[in-house]
Structure formats: C-alpha cells, structure tokens
Amino acid sequence: MTEATNDTTSPVRPLRDALTFLLIVSATFGLQLLTLVTGIIMARLLGVEGRGVIALVLAVSVFAAQLSFGGCLPPAITKLLAERGANARDGLGHVFRRRGWLLLLPCLVAGGLMLVLLDDGAAGQRFEIAVIAVVVTLQTLFFSIIGGAMQGEGRLVRMAWVALTPQGLFTIALAVVAALDWGWSATDVLLAYIATGVLSVLVAMASLLPAERGDDVGAERRVPEASLWSEARGNYVSGVRPLDGLGLERILVGGLLGTTALGLFATGLAVSNLCRLVSNAVSVVVLPRVAAHQGDPAQQRAVVRRWFTISLVLVGGIVAVLELLVEPVIRLAFGEEFVGAVSVARWLIVADGLLALRRVLIAALQGQGRGGVASWVELALLPVLVVGIALSALRESLDGVGMSLAAVGLLSCLALGRAVFRAPSARHRGRATSCTQQRRW
C-alpha cells in the first residue's frame, strides 16, 4: 500500500502528507541543483554547439520514451501493483520476461530521429550519436518503469531519492573531467551519461522489494498481461502529458532553429524549471487526497483549493525570485557566450510556473476520476503549441517560443480550473463511488 493510500481518517495523515511532500520536494530540488551544475559544466566544456547536441539527444530520448511506454506504463504499473498489494518482481516479472523486447522499438525510432534532426555541424558523428540515442532511450524507459514499480510498492520517498542517482553520478563524472581539464567532445559526454545511467538502473532495480518465496505467492498477486496493456491504453494521454512531457518544444527548436539556438534554449530551461519540481511533489499528495473523498465533490474541491493555494504561493514566489536572478545567474554560471538566453529564459520562467499549476489541476481531475477531461484539454492545446513554436521559428524568435509556452500554460490553467471546480454530474458521482467500493483494499 502506498503512503498516499493509507487510512484517511488517521489523525497523523496530514502530518504524513506534509512529511512526504517535504521529502519529495527536497529530493526534486536536489535533482534540479544537480541538473543545473551539469548544465554549467557542459556549457563550459562544449560551448553552445556541443551543448545543443547533448540537449537534442536527451530531448529525442525523452520524446521517444514518453510517447511509447514511458508515459503510460508507469501509472498502470503503480495502480495494478497497489491494487494487489504485490511487489514488482512477483506481480510483473512474468510480463517483462515475455514482452521486454518491445522496449527496443521506440529506442530504434529515437535513433532514426537523430539521423534526421542532426544538422550539418554534427554530420561527421551522425551515426555514432544516433546509436547513443538508442541506448539513452532504453535507459530512460527502464528508469521510468522501475519508478512506477517502486510507487506501486508504496515507496514514494525512496523513488524520489533513487531518481537522484543518475544525475548525481553524472555530475561527479563531469566535475572530475572539468577539474582535470580533459578536452571532451559531446560524444565523450554522452558516453559518460550512458555509463552512469547503467549504474543507476542497477541501483534502481536493487531498490525494488525482493520476490517472495514459498507457496503464499498466489496467482492473485500476479498482474494479468491483458490488464496491464488495458490500463496502459487508458492512461495514455494523461500519462504522456504531451504539452510538456515529451520535450516537444526542444525537438522543434532543435529541428527548426538548429542546435545553436537549442543550446541557448536549453540554458534558459536549466534555470527556469524549479516550479515544476514543487508541482510534482504537490501532485503526489493531491491525487490520493482527492480520491479519498469520492462521492463528496464539495470536500474534493476543498482539498483542491487548499493545495492549489499552497502551490500558487510557492510558484509565485519562485517565479518572482528567478526573474530577478536569471540574468546574473546565466552571465556568471554559463558565461558571456550564453547571455543571449536571458530574454527567452524570462518567458520560460513564467511558462514553467503556469504549467506547474496545470499539473496540480490535472492531478485533481485524476483524483476525481475525470482524467479524460485533462486528456482532452491537453489534446486541444497541443496544436496551439506546435503552431506557436513553428511561427516563432519562421521569425527566428526564441522569445516567441517562450511566449507560446506561457500562453498555452495560461489557457490550460483556465480550462482545467473550470473543470476541477465545476460539479460533476450525478451519474459520474455514482460511477466514481461504485468504482471506489470495488477497488477498496
């Protein structure tokens, strides 16, 4: 049973929610700090062009992973394991022994995309970088799926801290390279990323609960393969989160404006994504707390108002501070070569704040059993985002890309907020209550 699904009548539940929230926030802020450090070191080692190549490989890998199994399988795994009170090795081992090879398909797609998107500056290493993208995508998929399994086993805080492992090891590797003044290329950095990623996957697998032995491991603890795929299909759009879960904006910038522009854009992203870390932690608490009040829309909305207010205050403060500090941070940390990223970073900070609030609202809708509403909002705004970035690329305006993201974030918050606080129909409330009774465990 997860931390999020304990008895909601317990007097220690608010304290447990708060502690879980603080621990997850601490882990995610640590992850962001490590990401910022690696971004600075890579910028110093590689310059704008090399930094852009790294950003494109990572963006394509995330895109391929999230659009295939990385977005829909983890929440399905979490739900099905938690329902059965099973660990991942007993519940899903038989499925992945038979179907694990399917993970290679999106990895090959990622390699093909790299061959198409790399510009002339990286033409000499096109095939080599494409192969690296295949491996990085596979690592991304493994880590996402193991994370979903740990959440299903009820290990939310450990999941957050294990997520620090790959970035932590990568930061140490780059710091050693910088200290020794080795002249690494973008390919060398990517190979180091793969090496630290392999170690991190091993650490994550070791963090899963051990398989149970003996006759007490019955068939009811095993997740049927058909149930896994059915649940994954139902979670597809809300799990993928196409507006910001695919790295689509980075791929479009890299493909339409080139890796040099992407290097500046990636620098802006590196100093602008603190808000999403807060929203991720809030979402971990919001979804189960809202779901605990199925059949009581008024209480659900009270929970949402409380946590959304907390999110709004935190996000507003972070945005204000970052807007004041962004120029000196980029100038001092990344160097004069990256000062051109300041203006787009200001827009990206605003966009990140709005998209972070949107994640909290999506979690609330999922807790209400209305995740399909969030999916339709995502799908409706996706063309708006793509057109906005494409028009900005035609004008060669990175600032326009940031403005497009901010506009989509605002529209999403308005649409989702209206849906969250609108009373669901009586028919939906009855269906939600019935589902809650059936899934009580």
Side-chain angles (χ1 to χ4, degrees), residues 416-432:
L416 292 169
R418 181 176 183 273
V420 167
F421 293 105
R422 184 181 61 192
S425 65
R427 181 172 65 87
H428 177 82
R429 289 198 301 270
R431 183 170 66 250

Side-chain angles (χ1 to χ4, degrees), residues 32 43 70 83 95 135 192 223 249 260 300 320 341 350 372 374 385 398-399 401 418 428:
Q32 175 59 24
E83 274 185 341
V95 176
V135 180
V223 175
E249 72 283 359
T260 299
Q300 285 183 334
V350 175
L385 177 62
L398 271 182
D399 288 0
V401 176
R418 181 176 183 273
H428 177 82

Side-chain angles (χ1 to χ4, degrees), residues 118-127:
L118 282 174
D119 58 22
D120 294 338
Q125 298 176 310
R126 191 184 298 267
F127 181 76

